Amino acid sequence: MGTLTVNINNTAINLALPAIRDELRLDLVEMQWVSVSYVLILAALTMIGGTLGDHFDKRQVLTVGLCVYTTGSLLGALSLSALTLIGSRILAGIGAAVLVPVGLASLRQLASSPQQLTSYMSLWGLAVGLGMALGPAVGGGLTGYLGWRALFVAMTAFGVIYLLAVRICLPRLDSFERAGVSIVSHMLAAISMVSAAGLVIEMRSDSPWLLKASLAFALPVCGTLWIHRDRTTSHPVIPPCAWRNPNYAAALAIGFTNYVALGATVFLSSLFLQDAAQLPAAVAGFGCVPLAAATAWGATWAGAHEMPDAARRVVQVAAMLLGCGLTVAGAGVVFQTVSDSPAVAIFTYVVGTSLMGFGFGAANAPVNVMAMSSLPKRQSGVAGSSASTARQLGQSLGVAAGGLLLSLADSPGGSTSPQSYVLPSLSIFMCAVVLMFLPLRFSRHS
């Protein structure tokens, strides 16, 4: 349910962005921050959230996280400016940082066999897809009929329902150990991630040069210090031995690359359907549902295969579908430019993004299985949180890069011009190419 909640929030906000932009007078950079701040904080803090789940009772950790998440969502509904809205998204992200990794760790702890773990991960992938499918429908529908603030009220309600479910249904799951946590290492990792996405977002903005220089300085410095400290501290963010496991390293790389493409696709789709295709928010929301539903189908299909033997083949099939779907969706954009039949253009675009969605979902399932089965059960929180962090950081950078490449287009129409989406589409295609080769690192013997 935590994964469902996080993914509804991730995808629903993109459908509300044009309405938020019009009411609060946001520019493209502020729109990117509204979209990315929540998931970026997730990426930055999910690792420490997973570590807390390993060290304390998972039920209590989820309870505290959900209280913070619900508060942030409620403040989002009351926001009157870009700054307060971004702040509320950050607060919600802080609370949500424990939901996915601690939820995954709970499944790992409850699973009694590798087969049961694979089954749980298939259900987890289904929850991702359902969250993505419900997100556009909820975001577009609520924004179109009740206004964008209703979306944040709904997120508050989801948080309350999940909190009640945790308190009533989840058994007490004790920690495996009470070892220390290196807050410094986690903060260095968090600053590195925020700096990376922030630098890409602010690159074309009117922000002071000092801010851009600070981000450019913090990224390599904090990244280097983090790597060095992880090698020397007794409580690393990620155990150094984990990186020597080819399955673990490849799984994180695949999760990151897959979500760079997914983040860019979801962000740009909402803008294309509402700005270029001139669809109302509610209609655009349902136009994004096939992509998300196909993601759920792809996750279910991948979960039916035996891991790790089938991991390489599953990811490569996913990459091919991603490339093919992008080609078909691109044809829809071309139709939108040269044709007087927008219905054909939108239909072609939806078919293409559906193929892409199946690829996104299929590539997701092996990431969790390979990452979590590569580390001991007592480190299930680290395994689950690092896989989640890789995805969320990838999604953040996908939104950041998609917005940057959209702003680089010379088309005077900006996001209303179909030609503006050519450069972002090429970046997504490059992700598909990379995904074809990353599974070659998978080994049948960890």
Side-chain angles (χ1 to χ4, degrees):
M1 193 168 177
T3 298
L4 184 67
T5 302
V6 167
N7 279 277
I8 288 176
N9 201 320
N10 277 350
T11 54
I13 189 65
N14 290 297
L15 274 299
L17 282 176
I20 296 173
R21 174 193 61 195
D22 295 341
E23 180 176 331
L24 300 185
R25 302 181 183 277
L26 309 186
D27 58 26
L28 180 60
V29 170
E30 289 171 327
M31 288 175 66
Q32 286 177 277
W33 276 117
V34 170
S35 175
V36 84
S37 54
Y38 169 81
V39 72
L40 183 58
I41 293 300
L42 281 178
L45 299 182
T46 289
M47 289 297 299
I48 195 169
T51 302
L52 291 174
D54 282 345
H55 290 72
F56 302 100
D57 174 30
K58 293 176 175 58
R59 189 165 176 261
Q60 296 301 325
V61 172
L62 285 172
T63 298
V64 173
L66 281 165
C67 289
V68 177
Y69 169 82
T70 303
T71 302
S73 298
L74 181 60
L75 291 176
L78 304 174
S79 297
L80 299 176
S81 68
L83 185 61
T84 55
L85 181 57
I86 293 169
S88 72
R89 296 282 289 166
I90 290 174
L91 183 61
I94 292 173
V98 302
L99 302 188
V100 173
V102 177
L104 280 172
S106 299
L107 294 178
R108 178 71 176 93
Q109 194 169 343
L110 292 170
S112 58
S113 67
Q115 291 74 24
Q116 191 173 32
L117 177 61
T118 299
S119 176
Y120 284 164
M121 291 304 102
S122 178
L123 290 175
W124 180 92
L126 181 60
V128 171
L130 287 175
M132 292 181 64
L134 288 173
V138 170
L142 289 177
T143 300
Y145 294 110
L146 299 176
W148 63 267
R149 295 181 189 278
L151 171 61
F152 287 89
V153 174
M155 292 300 100
T156 303
F158 277 124
V160 172
I161 293 171
Y162 185 20
L163 177 59
L164 293 175
V166 166
R167 300 305 300 177
I168 295 172
C169 302
L170 186 67
R172 179 182 177 87
L173 297 172
D174 292 329
S175 62
F176 286 108
E177 52 186 283
R178 294 279 180 177
V181 178
S182 177
I183 298 297
V184 174
S185 295
H186 282 282
M187 292 309 299
L188 288 171
I191 294 172
S192 302
M193 296 175 196
V194 173
S195 299
L199 182 60
V200 177
I201 291 174
E202 296 290 345
M203 197 172 294
R204 293 266 298 177
S205 73
D206 296 327
S207 300
W209 67 268
L210 183 59
L211 172 62
K212 300 178 184 179
S214 299
L215 292 171
F217 175 79
L219 175 58
V221 171
C222 292
T224 301
L225 290 174
W226 170 35
I227 293 172
H228 173 73
R229 185 174 177 82
D230 252 20
R231 290 175 176 173
T232 58
T233 184
S234 56
H235 308 297
V237 176
I238 299 175
C241 61
W243 294 113
R244 293 192 288 271
N245 187 305
N247 288 347
Y248 177 83
L252 264 59
I254 289 169
F256 172 81
T257 305
N258 189 39
Y259 266 65
V260 168
L262 178 60
T265 299
V266 173
F267 178 73
L268 295 168
S269 290
S270 64
L271 292 179
F272 173 78
L273 291 174
Q274 293 184 71
D275 290 350
Q278 296 293 303
L279 297 179
V283 178
F286 284 101
C288 291
V289 168
L291 182 156
T295 303
W297 185 20
T300 304
W301 172 81
H305 292 73
E306 289 293 331
M307 303 291 175
D309 292 349
R312 179 182 300 182
R313 183 175 68 255
V314 166
V315 175
Q316 289 179 330
V317 169
M320 287 188 288
L321 286 173
L322 176 56
C324 292
L326 182 61
T327 302
V328 176
V333 175
V334 173
F335 271 122
Q336 179 71 19
T337 305
V338 303
S339 172
D340 293 329
S341 177
V344 174
I346 293 171
F347 175 78
T348 307
Y349 181 83
V350 169
V351 170
T353 53
S354 298
L355 289 173
M356 295 172 68
F358 190 95
F360 291 137
N364 232 343
V367 171
N368 284 328
V369 175
M370 301 302 291
M372 298 189 72
S373 62
S374 298
L375 297 183
K377 181 178 285 192
R378 62 185 176 83
Q379 293 178 332
S380 57
V382 172
S385 61
S386 58
S388 297
T389 295
R391 285 189 294 265
Q392 291 151 2
L393 179 60
Q395 183 178 347
S396 301
L397 289 174
V399 172
L404 175 63
L405 294 173
L406 188 66
S407 70
L408 289 174
D410 293 329
S411 173
S415 61
T416 63
S417 173
Q419 293 94 329
S420 299
Y421 297 86
V422 174
L423 278 177
S425 298
L426 290 176
S427 68
I428 297 171
F429 185 80
M430 290 304 300
C431 290
V433 173
V434 173
L435 279 175
M436 282 292 297
F437 293 97
L438 283 176
L440 298 178
R441 288 182 54 85
F442 278 148
S443 169
R444 296 193 180 190
H445 305 285
S446 299

